[in-house]
């Protein structure tokens, strides 16, 4: 759900903006000081693969012949634009330069715009001489490898309107004196650097500021109360820092604010009631913080809000009925808090709501039937709330849901048949008390891409109709009482390009029989990354066709009745990171090709009947992964006896 104005988007926007154009002078040649300043920069560039500076030749006029350079009528350079994103006949060319910023650029005393953004490999510090560019209005150095601190001399750039240094390796603090001096700034981008310390209180002097992006730094301290003075501010992104303290009441003064992103900080305290002053706010994300207290009733007075994301905090109390006034709301995320009581019936007024995630709270009581009015709702997640549903309410059938998650909500009994006539693509009913069979009508749910029925009491074999789930890609049936063989699951149909499994977890059931060699070669299995079959009643050997599962990362077949050898072909699944085969009846030796897979992190073949010397291996594997095999020897077990 990233929405910040990040990285390359800045440079792309710059290309689309009307350029500051200056007609080359027909009567004044390029000033000698300016020409030498630009040549000084060219000399510090060690690689220019797209020849952005090829036309910069000392024998030609820099005002009329040098690409990316514009002059005024008296031959002074006012615009230097050599970005790594270059517009060329309606196409965007993406290139780079190696080198450093020359202090000589500080001699361009008439310069108004300097754009060296997105060159990727410009490194070294920003020369303090840049502080001499008193006429500069636009400075774009974003998306490079620049280091060092923000020069204190920047305080002299009093005409600067747009400053982007984001996506570099700039460190140190944000200088208070610099921020307090740049009173003409309308946009400031310092994100994705290594800046530390507090946000200067002098930020309140930048009353013309419309965009402030400081995300992904190491900023700490609290939000300055002066931030409420930025009456023109539309975009405020301070996410991914370590900002502490509470949200100041003054934030309610930001009546022009459209985007507020404080995600991933350490903000404490409650949401101030003054939040109702954010009358232009469309996107609000204050998730992954340490907010406490109740949601203020005034939060229902945000007339423009579309996305409200407050998940992963410590919010308590009830959901205010006033939230039913947020008729523009399309997404509401409040998961993983400590919110109590019932869902207000006023939520039925949220006619534009597409996503409602209230999972992992302490909600209880009956669900209001009025929620059936939410005809635009696509995702509903009420999982891990003590709702005591007993059954899924029948009025859910009136909704047009794509994703329904009701894990651990107290559902009992059998699966309701009305599910068969829905277009649900994600269904999670795990951690409930479902019983009975997996019904044949499950095959009618042809839109399913994820099915999680784990941790229930379902039994029976998998019905033949399961093969109709041609879009299913993630299946979790672990911890039930399913029986029969695995063929129906592994050989289901696909609906190319979708329907190829990503993950299967069938552990802790009663599946029996061998793993059929041919079904592992079905098209549904060809891109699986995680296959978990532990704690069943499987017999037979590990099929050699497992070598065909080229995307496999995780294989867990613990505590079955597998016999035979560990196939050397398992080593052809080059991406494997986890192989757990403990507590079976495997025999023979451990293939060196398997234990030496490049990506292997976890390997356990304990409690089998393996014999011989453990092959030398690079992965750090504990003794416990080999014990229970009396015939095994060699590191990390005791050395083999030599006859």
């Amino acid at each position: 759900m990233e929405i910040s104005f990040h990285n390359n988007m800045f440079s792309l926007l710059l290309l689309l903006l009307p350029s500051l154009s200056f007609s080359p002078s027909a009567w004044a040649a390029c000033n000698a000081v300016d020409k030498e300043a630009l040549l000084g920069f060219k000399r510090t560039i060690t690689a220019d693969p797209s020849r952005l500076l090829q036309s910069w030749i000392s024998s030609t006029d820099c005002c009329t012949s040098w690409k990316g350079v514009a002059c005024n009528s008296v031959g002074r350079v006012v615009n230097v634009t050599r970005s790594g994103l270059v517009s060329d006949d309606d196409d965007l060319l993406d290139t780079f330069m190696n080198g450093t910023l020359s202090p000589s650029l500080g001699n361009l005393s008439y310069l108004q715009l300097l754009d060296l953004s997105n060159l990727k490999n410009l490194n070294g510090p920003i020369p303090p001489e840049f502080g001499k560019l008193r006429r500069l209005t636009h400075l774009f150095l974003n998306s490079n490898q620049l280091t060092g601190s923000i020069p204190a001399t920047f305080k002299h750039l009093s005409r600067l309107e747009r400053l982007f240094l984001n996506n570099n390796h700039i460190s140190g603090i944000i200088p208070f004196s610099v921020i307090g001096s740049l009173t003409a700034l309308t946009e400031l981008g310092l994100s994705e650097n290594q800046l530390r310390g507090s946000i200067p209180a002098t930020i309140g002097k930048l009353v013309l500021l419309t965009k402030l992006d400081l995300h992904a730094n190491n900023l700490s301290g609290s939000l300055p109360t002066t931030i409420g003075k930025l009456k023109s501010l539309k975009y405020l992104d301070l996410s991914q820092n370590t900002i502490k303290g509470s949200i100041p009441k003054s934030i309610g003064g930001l009546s022009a604010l459209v985007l507020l992103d404080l995600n991933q900080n350490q903000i404490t305290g409650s949401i101030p009631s003054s939040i109702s002053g954010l009358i232009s706010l469309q996107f609000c994300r204050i998730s992954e913080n340490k907010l406490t207290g109740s949601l203020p009733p005034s939060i229902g007075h945000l007339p423009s809000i579309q996305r409200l994301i407050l998940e992963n905090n410590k919010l308590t109390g009830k959901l205010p009925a006033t939230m039913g006034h947020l008729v523009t709301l399309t997404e509401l995320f409040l998961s993983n808090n400590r919110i109590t009581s019932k869902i207000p019936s006023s939520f039925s007024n949220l006619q534009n709501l597409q996503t409602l995630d209230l999972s992992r709270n302490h909600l209880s009581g009956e669900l209001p039937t009025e929620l059936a009015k939410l005809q635009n709702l696509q995702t509903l997640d009420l999982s891990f709330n003590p709702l005591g549903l007993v059954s899924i309410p029948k009025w859910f059938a009136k909704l047009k849901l794509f994703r329904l998650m009701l894990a651990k909500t107290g559902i009992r009994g059998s699966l309701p048949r009305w599910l068969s006539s829905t277009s649900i693509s994600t269904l999670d009913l795990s951690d409930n008390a479902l019983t009975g069979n997996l019904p044949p009508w499950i095959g009618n749910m042809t839109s399913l891409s994820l099915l999680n029925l784990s941790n229930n009491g379902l039994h029976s074999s998998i019905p033949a109709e399961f093969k109709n789930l041609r879009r299913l890609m993630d299946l979790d049936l672990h911890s039930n009482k399913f029986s029969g063989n695995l063929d129906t699951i592994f050989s289901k149909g696909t609906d190319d390009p979708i329907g190829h499994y990503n993950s299967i977890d069938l552990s802790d059931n009663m599946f029996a029989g061998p793993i059929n060699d041919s079904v592992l070669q079905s098209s549904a299995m060809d891109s699986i990354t995680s296959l978990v079959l532990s704690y069943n009643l499987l017999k037979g050997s590990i099929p050699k066709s497992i070598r065909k599962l080229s995307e496999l990362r995780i294989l867990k077949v613990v505590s079955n009745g597998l016999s035979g050898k560990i196939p050397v072909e398992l080593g052809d699944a080059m991406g494997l990171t986890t192989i757990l085969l403990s507590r079976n009846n495997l025999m023979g030796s451990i293939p060196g090709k398997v234990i030496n897979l490049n990506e292997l992190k976890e390997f356990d073949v304990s409690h089998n009947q393996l014999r011989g010397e453990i092959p030398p291996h690079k992965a750090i594997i504990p003794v416990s992964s080999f014990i229970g095999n009396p015939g095994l020897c060699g590191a990390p077990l005791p050395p083999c006896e030599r006859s």
Side-chain angles (χ1 to χ4, degrees), residues 19-83:
S19 59
L20 299 178
S21 58
F22 301 88
S23 299
S25 170
W27 59 88
C30 177
N31 180 273
V33 173
D34 291 356
K35 176 184 280 190
E36 179 53 34
L38 293 173
L39 290 173
F41 168 61
K42 183 177 180 180
R43 285 193 289 270
T44 65
I45 299 303
T46 57
D48 181 15
S50 292
R51 301 177 179 178
L52 293 177
L53 305 182
Q54 184 183 33
S55 62
W56 292 21
I57 303 171
S58 59
S59 60
T60 58
D61 190 297
C62 71
C63 291
T64 58
S65 302
W66 293 16
K67 287 186 178 181
V69 177
C71 301
N72 63 13
S73 59
V74 293
R76 301 308 301 260
V77 173
V78 291
N79 181 339
V80 176
T81 302
R82 292 285 79 189
S83 170

Side-chain angles (χ1 to χ4, degrees), residues 155-225:
K155 66 183 179 182
H156 301 304
L157 305 180
S158 58
R159 298 187 187 181
L160 205 58
E161 297 173 12
R162 303 176 73 197
L163 172 60
F164 292 141
L165 306 178
N166 49 295
N167 196 19
N168 280 287
H169 302 295
I170 298 169
S171 56
I173 64 168
I174 302 174
F176 281 54
S177 59
V178 169
I179 292 301
S181 302
L182 304 182
T183 53
L185 268 187
T186 61
E187 298 183 8
L188 176 59
L190 303 178
S191 63
E192 296 181 275
N193 279 292
Q194 297 162 20
L195 296 167
R196 55 179 172 78
S198 301
I199 299 169
T202 50
I203 199 82
K205 295 183 179 181
L206 310 186
V207 294
L208 300 179
L209 208 60
T210 62
K211 294 183 179 180
L212 176 59
D213 186 3
L214 306 179
H215 87 269
N217 278 287
N218 300 313
L219 297 172
S220 55
S222 56
L223 290 169
T225 57

Side-chain angles (χ1 to χ4, degrees), residues 147-418:
T147 55
S149 57
I150 298 172
T153 56
F154 271 26
K155 66 183 179 182
H156 301 304
L157 305 180
S158 58
R159 298 187 187 181
L160 205 58
E161 297 173 12
R162 303 176 73 197
L163 172 60
F164 292 141
L165 306 178
N166 49 295
N167 196 19
N168 280 287
H169 302 295
I170 298 169
S171 56
I173 64 168
I174 302 174
F176 281 54
S177 59
V178 169
I179 292 301
S181 302
L182 304 182
T183 53
L185 268 187
T186 61
E187 298 183 8
L188 176 59
L190 303 178
S191 63
E192 296 181 275
N193 279 292
Q194 297 162 20
L195 296 167
R196 55 179 172 78
S198 301
I199 299 169
T202 50
I203 199 82
K205 295 183 179 181
L206 310 186
V207 294
L208 300 179
L209 208 60
T210 62
K211 294 183 179 180
L212 176 59
D213 186 3
L214 306 179
H215 87 269
N217 278 287
N218 300 313
L219 297 172
S220 55
S222 56
L223 290 169
T225 57
T226 53
I227 208 163
K229 297 180 179 180
L230 306 181
K231 305 297 184 184
S232 300
L233 199 63
K234 293 182 179 180
Y235 300 92
L236 175 59
D237 189 350
L238 307 179
S239 62
Q240 300 175 60
N241 282 288
T242 57
I243 297 169
K244 300 179 176 65
S246 57
I247 301 171
K249 294 179 181 178
S250 62
I251 203 166
L254 304 180
S255 58
L257 200 64
V258 174
L259 178 148
L260 173 62
D261 196 344
L262 304 177
N263 180 51
Q264 287 186 39
N265 279 287
Q266 297 178 24
I267 298 170
T268 56
S270 57
I271 297 173
S273 58
S274 60
I275 195 172
S276 59
L278 304 180
I279 56 174
S280 302
L281 196 63
Q282 296 178 19
F283 178 94
C284 177
R285 181 166 64 170
I286 320 178
S287 51
E288 297 183 57
N289 278 282
K290 299 178 180 179
L291 293 173
T292 56
S294 303
L295 291 170
S298 60
I299 204 168
H301 303 293
L302 297 173
S304 304
I305 194 71
Q306 295 177 20
R307 304 176 71 190
L308 181 58
I309 306 163
L310 303 174
E311 60 195 4
N312 298 317
N313 279 287
K314 299 178 181 179
L315 296 168
T316 56
K318 300 179 180 180
L319 293 169
T322 54
M323 292 183 75
H325 299 151
L326 305 178
V327 293
T328 55
L329 198 63
T330 61
E331 296 182 356
L332 176 59
F333 293 89
L334 286 170
S335 66
N336 201 24
N337 280 287
R338 300 168 185 177
I339 299 168
T340 57
S341 195
K342 297 174 63 174
I343 299 173
S345 58
S346 62
F347 271 39
S348 63
N349 297 326
L350 307 179
Q351 296 294 305
N352 289 303
L353 199 62
Q354 297 174 19
T355 299
L356 176 59
D357 187 351
L358 303 176
S359 62
R360 299 181 188 275
N361 278 287
H362 303 307
L363 296 169
S364 58
E366 192 172 350
L367 297 179
T369 57
E370 292 91 341
L371 296 182
K373 297 177 183 177
L374 302 180
Q375 289 297 296
N376 285 309
L377 196 64
Q378 297 177 12
T379 299
L380 176 61
D381 192 349
L382 303 177
S383 298
F384 299 99
N385 280 290
L387 290 169
L389 288 183
V390 181
S391 62
I392 306 175
K394 289 184 178 180
W395 56 262
F396 271 38
K398 298 178 182 179
L399 298 172
K400 301 170 184 175
L401 295 172
F402 293 142
R403 289 170 288 274
L404 175 61
M405 286 79 84
L406 296 174
K408 204 170 185 178
T409 52
I411 300 170
R412 301 177 183 178
S414 57
L415 289 166
R417 189 175 184 116
W418 59 261

